[in-house]
Amino acid sequence: MTSAEVEQRLRRHTDELLESLLSDPFDTTAARDIGAGLVTMHFTGAESLARTIEALGEGTLPLLRIEETIEWRSRVSSIQAAVCSGFMRAAHKRTLDEQEAIRQAVLDARDSVEQALRTSEARFRAIFAEAAIGIGIADTESRILETNTSLQRIVGRDDEELQSMTVYELMDPDDADEVWHQYEELVRGEREQFRVEKPFTRPDGSKRWTELIVSLLRGENKLPLYQVAMMEDITDHKLLQERLRHQALHDPLTGLPNRSLFLQRLERALQGNTGDRVALCYLDLDGFKTINDSLGHPVGDDLLEVVAERLAASVQGSDRLIARMGGDEFVVLIEGSQGTDQAIEVAEQVLESLVEPFRVAGQELSIMGSIGIVERCIDGQTAAGLLRDADVTLYWAKADGKNQWALFDTERNAAEVAQFQLSARMPAALEHEEFYVEYQPLIDLHEQSMAGVEALVRWWHPELGRLGPDRFIGLAEETGWIVSLGRWVLRRACWQATQWQREFGTAAPFVSVNLAVRQSRDPRLVSDVAEILAETGLPPSKLQLELTESAVMDTADEPLEALHALSRMGVRIAIDDFGTGYSNLAYLRRLPVHELKIAGSFTEGLREVAGTDPINARIVNTLVDLAHTLGLTVTAEGVETHAQAQCLTDMGCETGQGWFFARPCSAETLRSLLTSGTD
């Protein structure tokens, strides 16, 4: 081909490689074909392959403006490997074709007539002498008779020296028994040919890897006559394979084994003998993101390199492996673990190695870590399960204070899994109306009548039965479903209050609904309340919204327009569990609040008249006086005895709530209470 044709072909191959790299699903078939295409174009030298692999190396992703993630680096490595594979297969096939031609020449030399024999001999000599592959001939006693220049170059010996040796003296000490076994079969005439990939050790101690084919030549009587060896030097290909394999199994930044190599070792460990044990210590650096964000990713990368060096030095032994799992996460594998104490000892060694500050970019940086430890018998274990449990335990260590290790706890994990399953079930529970509302009366302490009710949400789980709010409200807050759940409770409570309003008129109680912190900050809160009131027809004065003291006080630096808008609408605002937080009384004066609800922990000390705690009584009395001074009404929670109710009445508390009056109950039961009260 002309230079222009060569360039056109290479450009087309480049486009095909790019398409293969970006393919979805990822497919390296085109890359293998391109490797073979290089051989077809006569780019057969090791330098051509090396330059090609280098061109597809570290600069590829930045050139394409693709972020260097583990997935993309893995794709680049796979493309490199596929090109190399296609190249080697095509080169190997070409070599085999040449070898077959040589073998045919040898056979022709034996079988042809004298004239043809001389011609064939001349042709054989030309091929023998000039062939790029090494060729050697030995007799059935394994004495070397003749070698060509290529074979002499490969083994590092001249023809005279080789002719004084036997085949056995050339064999490498590291050769597998199978190689010797196949050779002995060939010499005895039990095998016509064998092919192996094996090294040859030169006199200077260096090794050359070869693709070796040994064939048996027989005489007219069919008895073994000669053995012909043909070898191709594949050392450069072997080194390239090893380099690609190392890149595929090691982290390019730290040089530590990567996730792939770690999983291979872990899978191998799990295939051990029954009763063997294994341990994982999963490490995450505390505060590494702050270093990346403040000092930049180059400094973060430098820090990871020196951290990896320390970790590798602290974890040594053939039964241990430390790998980088990605980001600032590392994991230590202990094969044949001796028990939990050994795993804890390794974890403490790792944490101890991080104590001394690191010198990075001309400054000293301190970094600590948290470690999750899993140690158990390998029976019935999977790599994915062990890693999952180690990861979970790691975040327990972080949640418990960081810079420490934590052991996997089956009971704690089961509880968290159960909580996760509840949170995952919550959207479907809302859709299938598994939630329901109970109502607890708010009693006017002076009139001894029902002034209002508090709406309390419950969950009837299809498998777990009735669940109280302590089991799911926190989960709803964490997942964000509290807004949808709270809106559902508000609508259901308002519908019920409207029905009571129609049935009992002025004697109907108002309904008080709790607002979670996230609900109170929802920008749609005011519009949702207005929409529900309009939809149900409930007068705004019959609705009270309860916010915890901490939720209200957290709005100190935020606009209070939502609370003011609700208050202007006519909705009552109450502060729940008052006295348990850190109140800013000056700020409280500016809030659109109508009522304070004193936490049940304060009314606890008023259970018996004779045993009333004077300090506790003084606190409650002060809270009631404070509320009245601010023009607010007071509801006391947790009223369980007559003594408490009487004491609170004497203090001037307007409303009481607790089991002394009634427990939370269904709307039907509450209707009966209202009916008996009006009668």
Side-chain angles (χ1 to χ4, degrees), residues 197-421:
E197 187 177 284
K198 71 178 298 299
F200 283 93
T201 302
R202 290 174 163 181
D204 61 4
S206 63
K207 284 184 181 292
R208 303 300 293 181
W209 280 90
T210 66
E211 179 80 22
L212 174 66
I213 299 177
V214 183
S215 301
L216 186 65
L217 294 181
R218 298 179 182 272
E220 293 182 358
N221 55 5
K222 304 299 182 182
L223 293 177
L225 190 61
Y226 298 107
Q227 46 182 298
V228 178
M230 292 175 280
M231 62 179 70
E232 178 189 7
D233 189 342
I234 61 170
T235 304
D236 291 339
H237 296 168
K238 193 76 173 177
L239 292 176
L240 182 58
Q241 282 183 322
E242 290 299 320
R243 177 185 171 191
L244 292 174
R245 183 176 183 277
H246 186 276
Q247 289 178 347
L249 298 176
H250 289 77
D251 175 50
L253 178 63
T254 64
L256 291 177
N258 62 12
R259 177 183 287 269
S260 297
L261 180 54
F262 171 80
L263 289 175
Q264 288 181 16
R265 282 283 296 270
L266 180 55
E267 292 284 3
R268 188 177 69 187
L270 294 178
Q271 295 171 2
N273 299 321
T274 300
D276 286 352
R277 302 185 70 84
V278 69
L280 299 184
C281 297
Y282 207 122
L283 167 70
D284 182 84
L285 300 180
D286 297 332
F288 180 76
K289 184 178 185 300
T290 302
I291 293 177
N292 258 351
D293 293 343
S294 59
L295 302 179
H297 288 271
V299 174
D301 288 347
D302 291 344
L303 178 60
L304 286 175
E305 288 188 67
V306 293
V307 165
E309 291 175 3
R310 288 232 196 131
L311 295 178
S314 68
V315 180
Q316 296 183 350
S318 59
D319 61 336
R320 301 174 188 181
L321 174 74
I322 182 162
R324 183 186 178 202
M325 302 300 281
D328 59 339
E329 292 184 348
F330 302 83
V331 65
V332 179
L333 167 65
I334 306 174
E335 300 180 63
S337 169
Q338 301 302 307
T340 302
D341 290 343
Q342 182 190 35
I344 292 175
E345 180 182 352
V346 171
E348 290 179 341
Q349 288 175 356
V350 169
L351 293 179
E352 180 66 26
S353 71
L354 300 176
V355 170
E356 184 179 344
F358 295 87
R359 189 73 180 174
V360 178
Q363 56 188 316
E364 286 193 349
L365 298 176
S366 294
I367 193 83
M368 296 300 174
S370 300
I371 296 179
I373 302 174
V374 173
E375 197 282 335
R376 59 184 59 153
C377 181
I378 66 172
D379 299 340
Q381 299 299 318
T382 64
L386 285 170
L387 274 175
R388 180 194 62 235
D389 291 347
D391 193 38
V392 167
T393 312
L394 163 65
Y395 285 96
W396 291 350
K398 283 188 172 294
D400 293 342
K402 301 183 180 180
N403 190 27
Q404 59 183 318
W405 53 264
L407 278 172
F408 181 77
D409 184 319
T410 303
E411 293 183 2
R412 180 174 179 178
N413 183 64
E416 290 192 355
V417 169
Q419 290 291 87
F420 171 77
Q421 290 174 341

Side-chain angles (χ1 to χ4, degrees), residues 420-442:
F420 171 77
Q421 290 174 341
L422 279 180
S423 64
R425 171 73 187 176
M426 199 167 293
L430 269 172
E431 182 179 349
H432 299 152
E433 296 191 352
E434 294 174 8
F435 293 99
Y436 64 97
V437 177
E438 291 186 339
Y439 302 90
Q440 185 171 30
L442 304 175

Side-chain angles (χ1 to χ4, degrees), residues 150-169:
S150 294
L151 187 145
Q152 296 162 21
R153 184 185 69 253
I154 292 172
V155 300
R157 303 173 189 271
D158 58 29
D159 186 56
E160 182 178 351
E161 182 181 2
L162 287 170
Q163 290 191 33
S164 66
M165 301 174 65
T166 66
V167 173
Y168 294 101
E169 293 175 287

Side-chain angles (χ1 to χ4, degrees), residues 482-492 494-495 515 518-538 543 545 562 565-566 569 571:
I482 191 65
V483 175
S484 298
L485 178 60
R487 189 182 300 118
W488 180 88
V489 172
L490 179 62
R491 178 174 280 105
R492 181 59 60 90
C494 287
W495 272 115
L515 285 185
R518 188 171 295 199
Q519 278 182 278
S520 66
R521 297 173 182 170
D522 183 13
R524 298 176 298 173
L525 174 62
V526 175
S527 60
D528 283 346
V529 172
E531 177 185 331
I532 291 172
L533 289 176
E535 176 186 322
T536 60
L538 182 69
L543 173 63
L545 298 178
L566 290 170
M569 194 185 299
V571 176

Side-chain angles (χ1 to χ4, degrees), residues 473-515:
I473 290 298
L475 290 175
E477 282 271 17
E478 292 175 9
T479 59
W481 281 102
I482 191 65
V483 175
S484 298
L485 178 60
R487 189 182 300 118
W488 180 88
V489 172
L490 179 62
R491 178 174 280 105
R492 181 59 60 90
C494 287
W495 272 115
Q496 187 59 60
T498 301
Q499 292 179 16
W500 290 328
Q501 183 79 13
R502 292 169 181 166
E503 186 172 357
F504 299 103
T506 57
F510 68 85
V511 64
S512 188
V513 180
N514 291 283
L515 285 185

Side-chain angles (χ1 to χ4, degrees), residues 401-644:
K402 301 183 180 180
N403 190 27
Q404 59 183 318
W405 53 264
L407 278 172
F408 181 77
D409 184 319
T410 303
E411 293 183 2
R412 180 174 179 178
N413 183 64
E416 290 192 355
V417 169
Q419 290 291 87
F420 171 77
Q421 290 174 341
L422 279 180
S423 64
R425 171 73 187 176
M426 199 167 293
L430 269 172
E431 182 179 349
H432 299 152
E433 296 191 352
E434 294 174 8
F435 293 99
Y436 64 97
V437 177
E438 291 186 339
Y439 302 90
Q440 185 171 30
L442 304 175
I443 303 301
D444 186 318
L445 294 177
H446 299 284
E447 299 294 334
Q448 291 299 305
S449 61
M450 191 185 305
V453 294
E454 180 177 356
L456 302 170
V457 64
R458 305 288 188 260
W459 184 358
W460 186 261
H461 194 281
E463 298 172 1
L464 303 177
R466 181 182 183 277
L467 300 179
D470 57 313
R471 291 287 302 276
F472 61 85
I473 290 298
L475 290 175
E477 282 271 17
E478 292 175 9
T479 59
W481 281 102
I482 191 65
V483 175
S484 298
L485 178 60
R487 189 182 300 118
W488 180 88
V489 172
L490 179 62
R491 178 174 280 105
R492 181 59 60 90
C494 287
W495 272 115
Q496 187 59 60
T498 301
Q499 292 179 16
W500 290 328
Q501 183 79 13
R502 292 169 181 166
E503 186 172 357
F504 299 103
T506 57
F510 68 85
V511 64
S512 188
V513 180
N514 291 283
L515 285 185
V517 174
R518 188 171 295 199
Q519 278 182 278
S520 66
R521 297 173 182 170
D522 183 13
R524 298 176 298 173
L525 174 62
V526 175
S527 60
D528 283 346
V529 172
E531 177 185 331
I532 291 172
L533 289 176
E535 176 186 322
T536 60
L538 182 69
S541 60
K542 288 293 185 177
L543 173 63
Q544 177 172 280
L545 298 178
E546 296 185 20
L547 294 87
T548 61
E549 182 179 358
S550 57
V552 175
M553 294 307 167
D554 282 346
T555 63
D557 297 325
E558 300 175 5
L560 297 175
E561 295 177 4
L563 293 183
H564 283 290
L566 290 170
S567 180
R568 289 193 299 269
M569 194 185 299
V571 176
R572 290 169 52 84
I573 306 296
I575 297 181
D576 194 15
D577 290 333
F578 187 76
T580 59
Y582 301 92
S583 303
N584 182 335
L585 299 180
Y587 181 66
L588 183 61
R589 294 183 60 187
R590 297 189 283 113
L591 292 173
V593 175
H594 304 85
E595 180 172 297
L596 298 183
K597 297 188 72 173
I598 299 176
S601 57
F602 291 103
T603 59
E604 176 70 22
L606 308 177
R607 293 179 66 90
E608 301 294 339
V609 175
T612 297
D613 182 348
I615 296 178
N616 202 75
R618 183 68 177 270
I619 292 174
V620 175
N621 199 41
T622 301
L623 291 176
V624 173
D625 289 343
L626 172 63
H628 290 164
T629 301
L630 295 173
L632 309 177
T633 58
V634 179
T635 294
E637 299 178 311
V639 181
E640 298 182 358
T641 67
H642 180 271
Q644 288 174 307

